[in-house]
Amino acid sequence: MAVMLAIGLWGLDRGGMWGDESVTFQVAQRTVPQIWRLLHDVDAVHGLYYLFMHAVLTVHADEVVLRLPSLCGATATAGLVAALGVRLAGPGAGLWAGVLYAITPMTGHYAQEGRSYALVAGGVAGATLLLLRAVEGAGARAWWGYGTVVALTCALHELAVPVLGAHALALALLRVPRWVWSGWGRATGVVALLLLPLVWVSQGQSGQVAWLVPPGWDRVERLARNFTPGPAGPAFWGALLLMAVGLRERRTAAVAVPLLLVPPGILMIVSQVRPLYHDRYVLYSLAGASLLVAAGAGRVGRALGRVGFFGGRWMLVGGRGVGFGGRRMLVGGRWMRFGERKMLLGVRRMLLGGRWAWCGRRMRCGGRPMRFGGRKMLLGVRRMLLGGRWAGCRRRMWCGGRPMPFGGRWVRAGAGLTGGLALALTFLTQLPVYRQDRSAAHRPDNLGVVSALAVRQMRPGDPVLFVPSVGRLAALAYPKGFRRARDIALRESAPRSGTLWGREATPGELRRRLASVDRVWVVAEAHVLNPHRPPADPVERTKLALLREEFTVREDHTQDGVVLRLHVRRQPSGVPSGAATTARSPASRPAVP
């Protein structure tokens, strides 16, 4: 969590919001009735998030506060992923899973974005942890907690619903009893009933995602690279290899694999008919990738821990892992007792001092010399290091006159140090990616740049035309830059109209308004000005037609993909320069509501 918090705080104030963030910023500052009215027509899927951010921005409205909930959500998610790893595979796997989640660039990206995706990821991780608690017999209260968290998470963003499919598959792989399925079914049924109204309303607002396209194999590859700490190079292939090894950890894989594959798979399949998929909608599946990689790393570390040091040489104990419990040691699947005259040994041969040693089912060790693989062993003191832990024993084992450190403690310590260095190196190699991601220019658009251009170039009273109308988000997010300008196409403001960027004049009314001015500033996206791709909206087509027929470009300013142009009216033939301008002075312009 500390690692995630540090990465998230780095560059949190980028100096500019992009389009989606500006929507959150301006909608959350409306009154609750205005937000409620908006949700009837658009963005119902984000309704709960807008109401939550309304309370947050009431404290202080700026860019940093806008992103703080996402940062807190990402930090909590890192801790929850670590808790999942501890419950599934032990403290070591939990530690690495949490750190892996924190240093993945995709996590850092959405930890610094004023949208709901990081909070949704936290909700899914928390719900998965509650699911495991309920499976382990925490009682009916655990199911109530699970259902509540899932319902809130899906209300934050409707496309978190596929996580229920992931949880169902996880229960099937864990082979839980019937009473667990009964509890999960009741909780899921309550969640479905609560979400039905939201699903019904959002179906009528599907035009908001009309820009999405059916995903292909390129999107699958892109998602795979986004889900690893290193999107390219050895870090990427190493992560995939550790994931494959992690599949051998059955309990961890039973939870992590469905979480990793089911939600993206469902959305990608559905999107072949009705596009709904985007990488950010399945950010919560990243937890599954981190758990698998950590489980694989833990398995590799345990394999290395089987190697011990014996009489100055490397050794393996029966080719199997050594477990230890108090005064007993598990060798080859059987318990071997210490402090007694006899030790039960469950393997037929052991590699000792670089040579194979044959032994029967029993070996005597009561201070009596034993010939074992050509070396003598004596038991002489109370403790010995076995399996990386001290074993309570009445005698000390010697071989060839030398003490036996037996168990791979140093090997595991070296493996842990190697893993930490590998994570640090992976993070350092991705520093250019992190640095680029913390630049406002890296986002789809930088509305702060548009406002700054407007402050420098526009004069008081200048008319401004947004092409397309969504460009008005710059004025809503940064009103200071457009305070002196007149929005010539606006008929009703966004809060009053219950829309995201207001209602504009009809094509006929827009012609009359533009006929009264001789100069107009145009804020446009570069691709919209392409004459070979006319927009479908009639108002947008009218804007471009009037600008092309009646105006000419005098100034052109382009920055970060945003175009700010000054258009002046074409002079009729035979009219002296400046005459038309005199005829339409600023004082004679009709007021625009």
Side-chain angles (χ1 to χ4, degrees):
M1 291 176 70
V3 171
M4 182 71 257
L5 184 62
I7 292 175
L9 287 173
W10 171 30
L12 188 63
D13 183 9
R14 293 190 298 271
M17 290 181 283
W18 73 287
D20 282 5
E21 283 188 311
S22 70
V23 170
T24 302
F25 190 71
Q26 56 105 355
V27 170
Q29 292 185 79
R30 301 182 187 182
T31 64
V32 173
Q34 287 174 337
I35 296 175
W36 183 251
R37 181 183 176 187
L38 170 74
L39 300 181
H40 285 76
D41 296 321
V42 69
D43 261 2
V45 69
H46 296 297
L48 180 61
Y49 177 67
Y50 288 153
L51 292 172
F52 168 68
M53 291 304 299
H54 171 77
V56 171
L57 293 184
T58 299
V59 179
H60 183 66
D62 70 2
E63 297 173 27
V64 174
V65 176
L66 173 71
R67 297 171 185 138
L68 279 179
S70 293
L71 173 58
C72 294
T75 303
T77 307
L80 290 168
V81 170
L84 280 170
V86 170
R87 187 172 289 267
L88 291 169
L95 174 64
W96 296 125
V99 174
L100 281 167
Y101 185 87
I103 67 171
T104 302
M106 186 178 185
T107 305
H109 179 91
Y110 289 106
Q112 295 191 333
E113 190 160 293
R115 298 299 274 177
S116 63
Y117 311 115
L119 294 173
V120 171
V124 169
T128 306
L129 187 60
L130 289 171
L131 178 69
L132 291 179
R133 289 189 58 193
V135 167
E136 293 169 1
R141 296 179 63 181
W143 288 118
W144 278 107
Y146 170 77
T148 301
V149 172
V150 171
L152 288 174
T153 302
C154 295
L156 275 174
H157 199 282
E158 184 181 326
L159 294 182
V161 170
V163 76
L164 293 174
H167 287 169
L169 180 57
L171 293 180
L173 293 175
L174 290 171
R175 298 180 181 179
V176 298
R178 184 176 298 178
W179 66 266
V180 173
W181 283 107
S182 177
W184 180 81
R186 289 194 299 269
T188 304
V190 173
V191 170
L193 288 175
L194 292 175
L195 292 178
L196 276 177
L198 175 62
V199 173
W200 182 74
V201 172
S202 62
Q203 290 302 304
Q205 301 174 1
S206 57
Q208 289 181 262
V209 292
W211 56 275
L212 293 174
V213 297
W217 287 109
D218 59 324
R219 300 305 296 270
V220 176
E221 180 184 359
R222 174 181 168 182
L223 183 66
R225 295 188 179 277
N226 284 340
F227 274 12
T228 56
F236 172 72
W237 295 108
L240 290 185
L241 180 60
L242 289 176
M243 282 187 193
V245 175
L247 294 175
R248 299 291 301 275
E249 299 291 326
R250 294 182 180 179
R251 181 173 167 82
T252 304
V255 176
V257 172
L259 187 59
L260 173 63
L261 298 181
V262 171
I266 290 176
L267 288 184
M268 285 184 177
I269 292 172
V270 172
S271 294
Q272 302 306 314
V273 179
R274 183 177 182 180
L276 291 174
Y277 173 81
H278 194 280
D279 293 353
R280 61 194 179 199
Y281 298 158
V282 292
L283 172 66
Y284 55 85
S285 292
L286 174 58
S290 300
L291 288 169
L292 266 186
V293 173
R299 190 173 183 88
V300 171
R302 287 194 299 275
L304 293 175
R306 294 170 187 165
V307 179
F309 197 70
F310 184 67
R313 301 187 183 184
W314 293 103
M315 62 172 289
L316 292 172
V317 181
R320 301 191 183 184
V322 177
F324 176 74
R327 296 176 64 86
R328 300 190 300 172
M329 178 182 72
L330 188 64
V331 179
R334 296 196 179 186
W335 289 107
M336 193 166 69
R337 294 185 176 275
F338 286 86
E340 301 176 359
R341 293 185 60 82
K342 297 180 181 180
M343 295 192 296
L344 297 177
L345 194 64
V347 289
R348 299 290 299 179
R349 61 177 185 166
M350 304 170 65
L351 188 64
L352 241 54
R355 300 175 57 186
W356 284 108
W358 291 84
C359 62
R361 287 297 199 184
R362 297 180 179 180
M363 100 183 146
R364 295 185 178 275
C365 58
R368 188 180 302 176
M370 297 188 311
R371 187 165 297 279
F372 197 97
R375 293 175 178 268
K376 291 184 178 180
M377 297 191 298
L378 293 175
L379 304 185
V381 288
R382 298 186 60 82
R383 297 198 307 171
M384 59 180 280
L385 193 62
L386 202 54
R389 298 175 61 183
W390 283 105
C393 181
R394 296 178 184 175
R395 317 286 181 178
R396 185 174 182 182
M397 187 176 291
W398 289 70
C399 181
R402 279 177 277 185
M404 298 188 331
F406 184 88
R409 176 185 183 184
W410 296 274
V411 175
R412 284 195 298 276
L417 180 61
T418 302
L421 290 175
L423 289 177
L425 182 61
T426 299
F427 177 75
L428 291 175
T429 57
Q430 296 303 315
L431 276 179
V433 176
Y434 284 101
R435 195 175 294 113
Q436 182 185 31
D437 195 53
R438 277 142 184 79
S439 169
H442 183 65
R443 305 287 164 155
D445 46 19
N446 185 355
L447 303 184
V449 169
V450 181
S451 180
L453 279 174
V455 168
R456 291 196 301 268
Q457 304 298 332
M458 291 185 184
R459 301 184 308 198
D462 275 351
V464 60
L465 186 66
F466 295 97
V467 184
S469 57
V470 67
R472 191 171 287 107
L473 289 175
L476 294 171
Y478 297 97
K480 180 180 178 181
F482 297 90
R483 193 166 292 157
R484 300 181 301 173
R486 295 185 303 129
D487 192 338
I488 197 168
L490 184 64
R491 184 177 62 183
E492 189 177 11
S493 66
R496 291 181 58 188
S497 63
T499 61
L500 290 178
W501 42 79
R503 298 190 190 279
E504 292 193 326
T506 62
E509 187 178 1
L510 183 61
R511 287 181 179 274
R512 291 193 298 272
R513 291 186 179 187
L514 284 175
S516 65
V517 299
D518 294 320
R519 51 182 279 145
V520 59
W521 286 96
V522 175
V523 177
E525 298 174 7
H527 67 89
V528 178
L529 301 177
N530 186 354
H532 302 293
R533 298 178 59 185
D537 186 84
V539 176
E540 303 300 335
R541 289 201 304 270
T542 302
K543 292 177 185 177
L544 294 177
L546 290 173
L547 292 174
R548 187 168 53 251
E549 296 168 2
E550 302 183 12
F551 292 85
T552 185
V553 178
R554 175 173 292 179
E555 296 181 22
D556 192 330
H557 308 273
T558 303
Q559 188 169 345
D560 295 342
V562 178
V563 178
L564 179 64
R565 286 179 178 174
L566 175 61
H567 289 251
V568 296
R569 187 171 296 278
R570 297 178 185 274
Q571 299 297 333
S573 57
V575 177
S577 178
T581 305
T582 304
R584 296 184 179 89
S585 62
S588 64
R589 298 172 190 160
V592 177

